[in-house]
Amino acid sequence: MPTPDSRRTADDAVREGTALTGARALELFDAQLASRHLDLAARWLRSFNEGFYTIGSSGHEGNAAVAAALAPTDPALLHYRSAGFYCARAGKSADAIRDVLRGVVASAQEPIAGGRHKVFGNAELNIIPTTSTIASHLPRAVGLAFSFGRPWKGVEHRWPEEAIVVASFGDASVNHASATAALNAAGWFDHSDQRLPLLLVCEDNGLGVSVPTPDGWVAAMLGSRPGLRYSAADGCDLVATFDAASEAAEWVRHERRPAVLHLSTVRLMGHAGADAEVAYRSTDEINRDLARDPLVATARLLIEAGLLAPDEVITRYDEVGWQVRKVAEEVLSEPKLSSVAEIVAPLAPRRPLRVAHAITEQATRALGPGAAARSQAFGGKLPEQGGPLTLAQTINATLTDALAGNPGMLVFGEDVARKGGVYGVTKRLHERFGGERVFDTLLDETTILGLALGAGLDGRLPVPEIQYLAYLHNAEDQLRGEAATQSFFSSGAYRNPMVVRVAGLAYQQGFGGHFHNDNSVAVLRDVPGLVLAVPARPADAAPMLRSCLASAQADGSVCVFLEPIALYHTRDLYQQGDNEWLAPYADPSQWAGEHVPVGRARTYPVGSAADLTIITYGNGLRMSLRVAAQLAAEGVGSRVVDLRWLSPLPAGDLVREAAATGRVLIVDETRRSGGVGEGILAALVDGGFVGAARRTASADSLIPLGPAALQVLVGEDAITQGAHALLAR
């Protein structure tokens, strides 16, 4: 026990040489106690099937001191063992306890996810919810910090200018591809002298479920990263953690550069409620961790400082425990999500009138107060005053208009700036709008999407480019696990609007192989809420891109704009020199009239349009129109339907056009198994179509190099054969 002379008051430092006061230490102890009892309550609730999440924070409660070292306005993306941090930032332990327990029981009244998942998140506390995929939030954290380092002129910034981003993660996570991408990107940006106010916090308990982390591995890996300032502390020692976190946070805040704080912690009570760690850990190992229990360490600190007596510690522990149990019993009776409509409401709101209005407003600005800036952006040569444009030229003009009209829009990716894109689609955007808004990134698709995730959170409209569709697949979890889930897990409190431009699909002449002619889009169509647009003709490309941009801005939509590479520079449709594939660029006064709503198809009547319906998209549209013209010469009338949107599919349009002829030929350039055609057939069946249907699709194969590619891809001969087979029935 301390002597009378050694007793400290609540206003004194709790230990010599620290800035942590006794009063703050007592508050953090309460947060730690609440965190521990929340773990116990989760297991109690699970014991009678009323709790649905038992991954706990026991042994990690020192992260409460990290919260204390930060400003409450610093956005935080937290590890799933961060209950101590959450309780400390919430301040009022009763509020934090109720928030967390509502998540455990999947209450519809939970304040951030609304019962959809148990996450640590709260918009008022600036805690951004993250998914359970380990380390998948780290590229987003890099992106948010990157956005903090960009100019904010014309951007409605959500956080204070001096704010920093903090993201916590576990030791096993450092081995994940998403983590290595984020760590590499943070160092790359720092090496490039770009501001990145990011504090990464690794909570190292030495275990990934049952797999031990090799001694010294995390320190060696994090400490050797170029461009990342490394520091470490005992995460079980409240004072050491607070001092180290305070010093690291202050450095990041002042220098606007990235740092990583490595905290040594322990994991108590196993990975989760069902984990019997005695199956893979020795008694000595478990006891060594128990000896470092951060609650016991903080209790000892407070007793030695004379701030609490041992019996007061026990009383405090019991009082918090009873409070947690009381709240746990109360939330049991709260309602759960009970309908599909209720569950999916925040997933992908569709407000077509708002989107149409946004496009009208953009056109009004372009014709009025923004006319001079628009003319300057185009160098005085407005695209509508020139001749008809190719698909690539149309997309370039639309991006130019969008950048001129929205100061918060960013265009970035590999080779998009100085080179102007591999196919020239972003040509001159860099010189027109500068390197702060149009810029090249490092060659890593995970980082590119992570930058978009963070920029969208920060109030910007990111338009990243993935250079080829095949390159997306090593980073697609950033769309599936992060982008598409953000609104879902935050009930719309946080959004990450974006339009991801992807050059893809096949049929390139003289250049290819499976990486540059990829026709696999199944993973994108499987992401709930994601909008997948495929513009085939220049006439549709501009209004479709404007719809995606407006949908992202108005609804927070995550859109993928899949651009058929082989059609970028196509000019002719039926014969060489006819220029039938080109289209004039619309004057802003025409934008509202040519608006293409998300999820609406376009029909091309050919001949009588009475005998056959051909449903297609992308490269298939051009081939199908050519075949339809040949059929018309034979006296067969066709309706060629361009889907334009692969997700959501224009189901109503498909059923209507199919019923008009009673015969449907689906021309699908993706693979037969898992391709778009399967979804079209399902939509027709669900819509009650009872006519004849046939599918022509590409083979279940990767696309080979050279002329051999045409053996596995849909061609005009196969379309013609399919049409004749249907007509013969």
Side-chain angles (χ1 to χ4, degrees):
M1 291 292 291
T3 65
D5 289 340
S6 66
R7 291 181 68 92
R8 301 174 186 270
T9 69
D11 294 331
D12 293 333
V14 71
R15 183 188 291 166
E16 198 69 35
T18 182
L20 182 63
T21 66
R24 192 67 173 117
L26 288 167
E27 293 171 354
L28 295 180
F29 187 47
D30 284 343
Q32 291 180 305
L33 293 175
S35 175
R36 179 65 56 87
H37 280 292
L38 285 168
D39 288 355
L40 297 173
R43 296 181 182 218
W44 173 70
L45 290 163
R46 185 74 194 110
S47 69
F48 51 94
N49 204 34
E50 289 291 348
F52 308 102
Y53 194 94
T54 56
I55 295 178
S57 302
S58 296
H60 285 245
E61 293 93 347
N63 56 38
V66 177
L70 297 165
T73 50
D74 291 332
L77 299 92
L78 299 179
H79 182 42
Y80 52 52
R81 300 194 189 278
S82 296
F85 184 109
Y86 187 89
C87 292
R89 180 165 281 193
K92 296 180 180 179
S93 59
D95 292 342
I97 289 167
R98 192 171 299 277
D99 288 352
V100 175
L101 288 174
R102 280 174 163 166
V104 170
V105 302
S107 166
Q109 295 178 14
E110 192 271 341
I112 191 73
R116 294 172 185 84
H117 192 40
K118 189 271 180 186
V119 295
F120 292 119
N122 190 307
E124 293 182 0
L125 300 178
N126 295 294
I127 298 177
I128 301 162
T130 63
T131 70
S132 295
T133 309
I134 63 168
S136 66
H137 61 297
L138 297 185
R140 179 199 295 277
V142 171
L144 184 55
F146 179 82
S147 182
F148 279 17
R150 315 301 282 183
W152 295 334
K153 183 178 179 181
V155 180
E156 188 176 340
H157 187 56
R158 185 166 189 158
W159 288 280
E161 185 175 351
E162 70 279 2
I164 67 172
V165 179
V166 61
S168 57
F169 57 101
D171 55 292
S173 299
V174 302
N175 305 299
H176 197 278
S178 297
T180 56
L183 293 167
N184 179 74
W188 189 89
F189 285 122
D190 185 73
H191 188 77
S192 304
D193 293 325
Q194 300 189 58
R195 295 187 300 167
L196 198 81
L198 173 66
L199 176 59
L200 298 168
V201 181
C202 180
E203 299 180 21
D204 179 3
N205 62 33
L207 287 165
V209 189
S210 67
V211 180
T213 298
D215 289 343
W217 166 245
V218 176
M221 199 277 285
L222 294 178
S224 61
R225 284 280 176 181
L228 277 178
R229 182 180 186 268
Y230 174 83
S231 59
D234 181 356
C236 297
D237 184 325
L238 192 72
V239 172
T241 301
F242 177 80
D243 288 346
S246 297
E247 194 274 336
E250 181 57 31
W251 185 87
V252 172
R253 199 178 309 279
H254 181 264
E255 298 292 331
R256 315 306 286 174
R257 296 175 62 191
V260 59
L261 173 61
H262 179 197
L263 298 177
S264 171
T265 65
V266 293
R267 192 192 72 189
L268 306 179
M269 300 196 295
H271 174 71
D275 178 34
E277 60 180 354
V278 292
Y280 54 85
R281 301 188 73 196
S282 69
T283 301
D284 287 344
E285 289 174 328
I286 295 172
N287 286 337
R288 279 197 297 271
D289 280 358
L290 285 171
R292 294 186 61 210
D293 188 331
L295 264 64
V296 175
T298 302
R300 184 182 298 114
L301 169 72
L302 295 171
I303 291 170
E304 290 175 351
L307 294 167
L308 289 178
D311 60 326
E312 291 175 318
V313 170
I314 300 301
T315 299
R316 210 174 185 106
Y317 177 88
D318 289 340
E319 286 177 348
V320 174
W322 283 114
Q323 183 184 22
V324 171
R325 175 62 70 91
K326 179 176 180 292
V327 175
E329 293 172 350
E330 291 171 355
V331 300
L332 281 173
S333 62
E334 293 183 353
K336 307 288 195 293
L337 295 169
S338 57
S339 71
V340 173
E342 192 179 8
I343 292 167
V344 303
L347 184 61
R350 295 274 178 265
R351 290 172 284 203
L353 292 179
R354 181 177 294 191
V355 171
H357 180 67
I359 292 172
T360 300
E361 285 189 329
Q362 182 186 359
T364 301
R365 288 194 301 271
L367 290 168
R374 181 172 186 259
S375 178
Q376 182 179 6
F378 282 106
K381 300 177 181 178
L382 297 177
E384 62 267 28
Q385 296 173 350
L389 305 180
T390 63
L391 180 66
Q393 291 168 334
T394 300
I395 294 171
N396 177 274
T398 310
L399 289 172
T400 302
D401 261 325
L403 283 161
N406 185 348
M409 179 171 154
L410 304 175
V411 173
F412 53 90
E414 301 168 9
D415 301 309
V416 304
R418 294 182 180 179
K419 183 177 176 63
V422 173
Y423 298 95
V425 180
T426 55
K427 188 177 181 180
R428 298 194 187 93
L429 296 185
H430 179 263
E431 63 184 76
R432 290 168 177 168
F433 299 99
E436 296 291 352
R437 299 185 60 203
V438 180
F439 52 90
D440 292 321
T441 66
L442 66 169
L443 273 64
D444 175 51
E445 286 71 28
T446 296
T447 295
I448 292 171
L449 294 178
L451 294 179
L453 289 164
L457 272 180
D458 198 28
R460 304 181 193 271
L461 179 56
V463 183
E465 177 186 298
I466 301 298
Q467 198 167 83
Y468 289 101
L469 176 59
Y471 296 178
L472 174 67
H473 300 311
N474 62 7
E476 58 202 18
D477 184 54
Q478 291 297 298
L479 290 179
R480 178 201 169 277
E482 288 292 323
T485 64
Q486 183 68 89
S487 184
F488 186 74
F489 288 141
S490 69
S491 301
Y494 289 107
R495 312 184 316 168
N496 38 224
M498 67 177 73
V499 178
V500 185
R501 292 182 47 253
V502 183
L505 303 176
Y507 301 97
Q508 288 193 82
Q509 298 295 318
F511 180 72
H514 67 288
F515 267 110
H516 302 99
N517 281 283
D518 186 31
N519 63 346
S520 176
V521 301
V523 69
L524 294 172
R525 294 193 63 246
D526 189 53
V527 178
L530 184 142
V531 173
L532 178 55
V534 182
R537 305 196 73 167
D540 284 329
M544 287 176 68
L545 182 51
R546 279 194 286 270
S547 290
C548 285
L549 293 168
S551 182
Q553 195 91 37
D555 293 334
S557 299
V558 177
C559 303
V560 173
F561 199 72
L562 182 58
E563 302 164 6
I565 299 173
L567 298 178
Y568 269 148
H569 306 298
T570 297
R571 307 179 67 86
D572 307 322
L573 175 54
Y574 300 112
Q575 56 190 6
Q576 187 172 357
D578 67 14
N579 287 338
E580 288 289 328
W581 202 254
L582 305 179
Y585 188 79
D587 179 273
S589 63
Q590 300 171 305
W591 291 356
E594 69 166 22
H595 172 52
V596 176
V598 172
R600 294 303 306 271
R602 178 175 182 175
T603 300
Y604 295 86
V606 182
S608 67
D611 303 307
L612 175 67
T613 300
I614 302 176
I615 299 176
T616 188
Y617 61 93
N619 294 287
L621 176 62
R622 183 171 182 271
M623 292 187 290
S624 296
L625 287 171
R626 289 167 59 87
V627 170
Q630 296 169 10
L631 293 173
E634 301 171 12
V636 175
S638 304
R639 310 168 80 88
V640 179
V641 181
D642 180 10
L643 292 173
R644 300 194 292 195
W645 310 91
L646 302 189
S647 185
L649 277 174
D653 294 338
L654 300 186
V655 174
R656 183 190 67 248
E657 297 299 326
T661 65
R663 298 186 187 92
V664 174
L665 176 64
I666 299 168
V667 177
D668 179 12
E669 64 182 284
T670 62
R671 299 166 193 160
R672 177 166 290 274
S673 298
V676 176
E678 293 179 349
I680 298 171
L681 281 172
L684 291 174
V685 172
D686 290 347
F689 176 67
V690 293
R694 185 181 180 93
R695 181 163 58 114
T696 300
S698 295
D700 290 340
S701 170
L702 298 174
I703 298 173
L705 190 66
L710 299 179
Q711 301 301 314
V712 300
L713 294 170
V714 169
E716 292 180 24
D717 288 346
I719 298 171
T720 302
Q721 292 169 11
H724 284 150
L726 266 177
L727 293 165
R729 290 188 179 185

